[in-house]
């Protein structure tokens, strides 16, 4: 069964304390992996797409990386405004219409 | 700028009522999706559509139906609302290649 697992479920960081969020996947064939940010009461906001192992994407304090089994979202020197839930999703190579989402990591950054 | 809008942010309905949730996108996307999001369960796909008048069941279609009469508009219908349909409903759209889905703000539906 195709599955996406995110860890940790929740993460509390002090402002400036760098860390990483993990998204591991077990799928028959991967076409792409997506990262989204979701603020409370709002819809997910697209951040990155990764297509192949070794690929990296950066945006401000965030950097996403991809291996054959997992993806990491690295947050460097986070600020309180980075507090949100971060979702990852995989797109299957044999069924590109749908995304399979993980349950997310809820990040809180304290000043 | 990419835009997906949903007709209501918050909705309260009674058990047994028929409920319509509307979604409109302005990106000329072929694909549109309806998800529900519940704590601990993540986003689950209810229905999607890859063209006008075309629809496909997602993972949890029971108790729901959809309508796509125009390319930009995708409606989710709860024929007879039940309390276990209380949830956050999210609409999304994407291009035919299926790359990044763009989400609306969500509708928080409460069925009492």
């Amino acid at each position: 069964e195709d599955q996406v697992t995110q860890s940790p479920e929740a993460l509390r960081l002090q402002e400036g304390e760098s860390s990483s969020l993990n998204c591991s996947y077990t799928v028959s064939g991967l076409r792409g992996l997506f990262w989204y940010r979701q603020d409370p009461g709002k819809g997910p906001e697209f951040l990155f797409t990764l297509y192949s192992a070794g690929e990296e994407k950066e945006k401000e304090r965030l950097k996403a990386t991809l291996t054959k089994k997992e993806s990491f979202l690295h947050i460097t020197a986070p600020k309180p405004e980075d507090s949100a839930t971060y979702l990852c999703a995989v797109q299957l190579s044999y069924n590109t219409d749908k995304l399979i989402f993980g349950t997310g990591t809820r990040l809180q950054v304290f000043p | 700028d990419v835009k997906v809008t949903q007709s209501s942010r918050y909705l309260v309905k009674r058990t047994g009522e028929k409920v319509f949730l509307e979604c409109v996108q302005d990106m000329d996307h072929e694909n549109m999706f309806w998800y529900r999001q519940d704590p601990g369960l993540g986003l689950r796909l209810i229905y999607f559509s890859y063209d006008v008048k075309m629809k496909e069941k997602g993972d949890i279609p029971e108790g729901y139906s959809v309508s796509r009469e125009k390319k930009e508009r995708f409606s989710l219908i709860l024929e007879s609302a039940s309390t276990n349909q209380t949830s956050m409903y999210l609409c999304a759209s994407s291009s035919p290649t299926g790359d990044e889905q763009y989400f609306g703000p969500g509708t928080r539906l409460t069925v009492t």
Side-chain angles (χ1 to χ4, degrees):
Chain A
E1 185 187 349
D2 299 312
Q3 203 165 2
V4 177
T5 304
Q6 291 188 246
S7 62
E9 284 187 20
L11 184 62
R12 291 162 60 99
L13 297 174
Q14 204 71 33
E15 184 172 3
E17 179 187 2
S18 303
S19 188
S20 295
L21 282 55
N22 178 263
C23 172
S24 62
Y25 57 90
T26 307
V27 298
S28 304
L30 178 77
R31 182 177 186 276
L33 187 141
F34 301 81
W35 281 99
Y36 287 85
R37 170 194 170 122
Q38 186 175 24
D39 293 303
K42 297 187 178 180
E45 175 189 343
F46 170 74
L47 291 173
F48 303 109
T49 310
L50 301 165
Y51 289 105
S52 55
E55 188 176 359
E56 298 183 352
K57 293 269 179 80
E58 283 189 69
K59 181 179 181 179
E60 296 180 0
R61 294 176 293 281
L62 301 176
K63 182 168 85 171
T65 61
L66 181 65
T67 72
K68 288 188 177 179
K69 293 183 178 181
E70 58 193 347
S71 177
F72 292 94
L73 185 65
H74 307 278
I75 303 176
T76 302
K79 298 182 177 182
E81 53 261 42
D82 294 322
S83 297
T85 295
Y86 291 86
L87 303 170
C88 76
V90 299
Q91 183 185 36
L92 305 176
S93 56
Y94 57 87
N95 185 352
T96 59
D97 292 326
K98 300 195 299 184
L99 298 181
I100 302 173
F101 281 85
T103 53
T105 294
R106 189 173 67 255
L107 173 67
Q108 291 179 292
V109 182
F110 294 92
Chain B
D1 206 14
V2 172
K3 198 105 183 210
V4 179
T5 57
Q6 295 183 229
S7 51
S8 306
R9 292 301 309 275
Y10 301 94
L11 213 50
V12 179
K13 296 292 182 180
R14 292 193 181 276
T15 301
E17 279 193 82
K18 191 168 185 175
V19 182
F20 293 87
L21 302 182
E22 301 273 320
C23 174
V24 177
Q25 52 97 1
D26 67 357
M27 295 161 284
D28 202 35
H29 281 163
E30 280 76 7
N31 297 345
M32 295 188 75
F33 306 82
W34 275 108
Y35 294 88
R36 64 177 282 175
Q37 185 176 31
D38 302 286
L41 297 178
L43 274 80
R44 293 180 291 167
L45 182 65
I46 304 171
Y47 268 98
F48 69 99
S49 167
Y50 53 88
D51 203 350
V52 175
K53 296 192 186 295
M54 306 301 288
K55 61 185 179 184
E56 292 283 342
K57 292 181 180 179
D59 301 314
I60 51 164
E62 297 79 19
Y64 303 94
S65 62
V66 290
S67 171
R68 191 154 180 216
E69 298 295 319
K70 293 185 177 182
K71 188 176 184 179
E72 67 270 18
R73 191 177 298 267
F74 192 34
S75 301
L76 180 70
I77 302 153
L78 287 66
E79 294 288 343
S80 178
S82 64
T83 55
N84 63 12
Q85 292 179 311
T86 291
S87 187
M88 169 73 109
Y89 289 88
L90 291 161
C91 174
S93 72
S94 74
S95 67
T97 58
D99 291 353
E100 60 262 24
Q101 291 183 13
Y102 293 94
F103 284 83
T107 296
R108 172 76 64 186
L109 172 66
T110 303
V111 183
T112 62

